[in-house]
RNA sequence: GGGCCGGUAGCUCAGUGGCAGAGCAGGGGACUUUUAAUCCCUUGGUCGUGGGUUCGAAUCCCACCCGGCUCGCCA
């Protein structure tokens, strides 16, 4: 996301920019969670690119299957790298061979960097490369101990790592052309040189002192003799206090979020705070999601030049523009587009027989454009999902099965009389009110006769039916219920004992 | 234990030397038909703690406290 926005910003300044995304699929399989039990012994430790797709849905490998999930996720968020490259494709071309050669020639220097930068003490025969075992095809279990300038001596050790078992084979082999793979920090640095990388943000888990980024930076400078790319360390998004990350396959939270929140609001969520600020996002039982929409709409309004409440963060136009899905969107037109308020939609969705499109068009004051109808549909889906999975109790409108005793007891006498009068009026109509409009007219008419302010009239209705002080348009609410039930409830509430002052 | 980042209103966050802010939430009010909308008003702070520099510190320096990440492998 950060890289996508950087690329967009550079292009906006007229700079030619290429956005690359690499998948390190020569790395060994080290997580058995997604493997079938009988595959564990055989597959653990093999390169991810060589492990068959466990789902059997047509991907060439385990790596391709799972990476596709993220590629799709990125595409859905408007992130379209110019090129995805796979290390399992790069190594066989021989493009990495010069870097492998340099790393092996300078193995002692690499070990020294690990000691100095990361305080990691590798054995004196350790070499910064692993090879695919010609016997068992694993890469995570092999260690290289000698280098003669053309070939390496490897051992496939039984107990090199705890998560995979080697076969015990050893021998001389060429490390080039796809057989060998540089260690992670070296591979990272080699990619910078190979692709001419100039900017590479990374998360704070890597950006720590002595961490992967420090090592890769040192290796780039001292082994491959190239200045490392600009780093933009960024913080994480915490969902309910837990880290969400795409890089370690902890994608479950990411997908759950993306299912509920439309892409532009997801982008907005990431872009609004500074990169080094942890984003605390707690959608569960909170108004975090409605608030996210409201803030987005506020930024849109400000960008369109409409007045907004209070102050707005500096750079709001950029934040809004980069939150848009389409990098070439007409920002002014997008900002000016009408967007129905999320919480209002969530409310309307809970009332039966509401023509949402008509209501929203009425709020706007004119017909919705195709784009706005799309936004509406998107928000309706989001609001439904929110109500189902995340909304707090107070956002749920539900007609109580019985008279809400406490809330009704808090009503004043004139409000109670009003409820009785409304019941009488409903009964005395030649036709029982059926439409929301008929009920709404009656509610206002009786309130006028009783000299009760509209606010207090509505409040008494909400108390009697919902057990709360406010609610959706009362006429339509009553119209959605059985007439006899409505009259009965009105009478019960009117007859309820008033609250005794403590 | 070392390192990095963070700690500002109930919540989410702005604010890098010049009167502590916004949104939301909370409280009060307006509204004869959008009534969870809209509009107006408003409560709320030991800027993590303690020291220092300065005419002046949320901001710069030092120490400490708390939280997250990281410091063997893997990525």
């Amino acid at each position: 996301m950060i890289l996508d926005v950087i690329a967009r910003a550079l292009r906006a300044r007229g700079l030619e920019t290429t956005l690359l995304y690499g998948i390190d699929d020569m790395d060994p399989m080290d997580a058995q969670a997604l493997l079938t039990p009988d595959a564990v012994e055989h597959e653990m430790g093999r390169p991810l690119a060589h492990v068959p797709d466990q789902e059997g849905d047509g991907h060439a490998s385990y790596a391709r299957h799972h990476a596709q999930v993220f590629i799709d996720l990125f595409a859905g968020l408007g992130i379209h790298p110019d090129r995805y490259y796979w290390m399992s494709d790069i190594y066989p071309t021989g493009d990495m061979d010069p870097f492998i050669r340099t790393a092996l020639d300078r193995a002692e220097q690499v070990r020294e960097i690990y000691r100095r930068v990361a305080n990691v003490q590798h054995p004196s025969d350790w070499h910064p490369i692993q090879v695919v075992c010609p016997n068992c095809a694993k890469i995570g279990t092999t260690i290289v101990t000698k280098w003669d300038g053309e070939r390496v001596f490897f051992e496939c050790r039984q107990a090199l790592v705890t998560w995979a078992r080697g076969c015990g084979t050893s021998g001389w082999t060429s490390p080039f052309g796809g057989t060998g793979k540089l260690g992670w920090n070296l591979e990272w640095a080699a990619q910078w040189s190979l692709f001419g990388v100039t900017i590479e943000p990374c998360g704070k888990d890597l950006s720590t002192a002595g961490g992967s980024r420090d090592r890769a930076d040192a290796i780039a400078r001292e082994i491959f003799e190239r200045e490392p790319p600009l780093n933009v360390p960024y913080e994480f998004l915490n969902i309910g206090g837990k880290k969400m990350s795409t890089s370690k396959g902890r994608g479950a939270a990411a997908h759950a979020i993306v299912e509920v929140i439309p892409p532009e609001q997801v982008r907005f969520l990431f872009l609004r705070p500074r990169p080094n600020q942890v984003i605390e996002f707690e959608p569960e039982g909170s108004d975090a999601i409605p608030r996210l929409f409201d803030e987005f709409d506020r930024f849109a309004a400000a960008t369109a030049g409409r007045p907004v409440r209070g102050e707005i963060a500096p750079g709001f136009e950029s934040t809004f523009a980069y939150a848009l899905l389409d990098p070439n969107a007409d920002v002014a037109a997008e900002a000016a587009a009408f967007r129905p308020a999320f919480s209002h939609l969530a409310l309307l969705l809970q009332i039966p027989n509401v023509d949402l499109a008509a209501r929203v068009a009425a709020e706007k004051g004119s017909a919705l454009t195709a784009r706005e109808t799309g936004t509406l549909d998107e928000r309706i889906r989001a609001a439904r999902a929110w109500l189902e999975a995340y909304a707090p109790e107070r956002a749920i409108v539900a007609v109580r099965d019985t008279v809400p005793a406490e809330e009704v007891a808090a009503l004043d006498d004139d409000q109670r009389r009003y409820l009785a009068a409304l019941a009488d009026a409903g009964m005395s109509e030649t036709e029982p009110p059926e439409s929301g409009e008929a009920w709404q007219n009656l509610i206002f008419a009786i309130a006028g006769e009783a000299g009760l302010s509209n606010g207090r009239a509505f409040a008494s209705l909400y108390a009697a039916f919902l057990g709360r002080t406010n609610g959706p348009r009362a006429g339509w609410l009553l119209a959605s219920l059985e007439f006899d039930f409505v009259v009965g409830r009105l009478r019960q509430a009117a007859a309820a004992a008033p609250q005794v002052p403590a």
Side-chain angles (χ1 to χ4, degrees):
Chain A
M1 181 71 73
I2 296 211
L3 206 41
D4 173 67
V5 170
I6 291 172
R8 289 187 187 197
L10 290 173
R11 285 167 182 156
R13 299 280 295 266
L15 295 164
E16 194 180 324
T17 303
T18 305
L19 181 56
L20 291 174
Y21 190 95
I23 295 119
D24 297 334
D25 63 344
M26 278 305 283
D27 294 336
M29 181 81 187
D30 66 349
Q32 44 178 276
L34 294 170
L35 285 173
T36 55
D38 58 324
V40 169
E41 172 64 25
H42 186 252
E43 305 296 352
M44 287 297 284
R46 297 181 66 187
L48 292 166
H50 299 171
V51 176
D53 184 1
Q54 302 293 300
E55 301 290 332
D57 57 353
H59 293 103
S61 70
Y62 177 93
R64 302 268 168 170
H65 177 94
H66 288 280
Q68 192 62 45
V69 173
F70 291 110
I71 293 171
D72 293 344
L73 182 69
F74 294 153
L77 292 173
I79 301 169
H80 303 282
D82 298 290
R83 180 183 171 197
Y84 284 99
Y85 65 86
W86 306 74
M87 289 315 291
S88 62
D89 290 338
I90 302 296
Y91 276 105
T93 64
D95 286 349
M96 290 294 280
D97 290 351
F99 302 103
I100 292 174
R101 182 177 294 278
T102 303
L104 288 169
D105 286 344
R106 301 188 174 184
E108 174 50 38
Q109 219 178 328
V110 172
R111 291 191 290 268
E112 190 275 323
I113 288 171
Y114 271 75
R115 272 197 303 276
R116 169 164 47 84
V117 176
N119 198 30
V120 172
Q121 196 79 35
H122 282 299
S124 58
D125 60 355
W126 178 90
H127 287 69
I129 180 175
Q130 286 185 296
V131 296
V132 177
C133 174
N135 182 48
C136 70
K138 295 184 181 180
I139 192 168
T141 52
T142 65
I143 184 167
V144 165
T145 54
K146 293 173 197 151
W147 159 244
D148 70 2
E150 284 306 321
R151 295 176 308 157
V152 293
F153 187 81
F154 75 94
E155 298 169 27
C156 184
R157 292 189 183 166
Q158 296 247 348
L160 184 68
V161 292
T162 56
W163 38 268
R165 201 151 56 93
C167 63
T169 304
S170 63
W172 288 92
T173 186
S174 164
F176 300 122
T179 310
K181 171 199 174 309
L182 287 168
W184 149 245
N185 303 136
L186 292 99
E187 187 173 278
W188 201 5
Q191 289 173 54
W192 293 337
S193 290
L194 181 58
F195 296 108
V197 177
T198 51
I199 302 176
E200 173 137 2
C202 67
K204 68 166 179 187
D205 54 340
L206 304 180
S207 295
T208 188
S212 290
R213 184 55 182 245
D214 266 6
R215 304 179 204 178
D217 281 358
I219 288 162
R221 289 196 183 97
E222 299 173 36
I223 305 298
F224 301 131
E225 297 178 358
R226 176 183 189 274
E227 198 49 29
L230 180 67
N231 187 11
V232 182
Y234 56 83
E235 262 290 354
F236 292 120
L237 173 66
N238 286 351
I239 306 282
K242 292 171 76 175
K243 175 171 99 159
M244 183 184 105
S245 166
T246 56
S247 66
K248 286 193 176 176
R250 297 182 191 173
H255 294 113
I257 290 300
V258 168
E259 275 167 26
V260 177
I261 306 176
E264 295 190 340
Q265 279 72 40
V266 173
R267 291 180 65 96
F268 184 71
L269 173 65
F270 279 98
L271 298 184
R272 192 175 31 155
R274 299 163 301 177
N276 62 349
Q277 173 79 35
V278 188
I279 305 173
E280 297 285 354
F281 191 70
E282 173 51 279
E284 197 77 37
S286 80
D287 59 353
I289 288 175
R291 241 171 34 202
L292 177 64
F293 279 90
D294 290 348
E295 271 291 283
F296 181 90
D297 293 351
R298 206 162 152 262
F299 274 55
T303 303
R306 293 197 297 272
V308 293
R309 294 177 66 87
E311 297 167 9
I312 194 153
F316 60 89
E317 300 103 328
S318 300
T319 306
F320 176 74
Y322 288 126
L324 295 174
L325 208 48
D326 176 3
N328 304 310
D330 179 344
V331 174
E334 288 291 324
F338 177 78
R339 292 181 177 81
F342 182 87
S343 53
H344 196 204
L345 273 186
L347 172 73
L348 293 173
L349 276 171
Q350 297 179 76
I351 312 168
N353 305 317
V354 172
D355 183 345
L356 268 178
R359 281 293 309 250
V360 169
E363 275 176 36
K364 183 195 173 192
S366 61
L368 298 185
T369 66
R371 172 78 177 87
E372 288 167 344
T373 303
T375 303
L376 172 63
D377 291 342
E378 184 178 75
R379 290 190 174 201
I380 287 173
R381 281 197 301 278
R384 283 219 170 91
W386 180 68
L387 287 167
E388 205 170 296
Y390 296 109
E393 206 54 43
R394 64 177 183 277
I396 306 289
V397 173
V399 176
R400 299 283 192 91
D401 293 332
T402 58
V403 177
E406 200 176 318
E407 290 80 0
V408 166
L411 294 175
D412 293 328
D413 284 342
D414 56 348
Q415 288 178 300
R416 248 183 290 280
R417 282 196 297 276
Y418 169 76
L419 293 175
L422 187 61
D424 293 341
M427 290 299 285
S428 66
E429 297 277 302
T430 50
E431 296 267 318
E434 276 182 4
S435 70
E437 203 174 352
W439 269 116
Q440 194 82 346
N441 285 333
L442 203 59
I443 289 166
F444 280 111
I446 303 301
E449 285 174 22
L452 201 62
S453 76
N454 290 335
R456 300 189 62 230
F458 277 101
S460 66
L461 289 169
Y462 296 134
F465 287 89
L466 307 175
R468 42 199 303 152
T469 58
N470 45 34
R473 302 177 84 203
W476 282 261
L477 178 68
L478 299 191
S480 73
L481 302 168
E482 290 288 330
F483 177 73
D484 293 341
F485 172 82
V486 172
V487 171
R489 173 60 61 83
L490 288 171
R491 295 230 158 104
Q492 285 168 5
Q499 194 167 36
V500 180

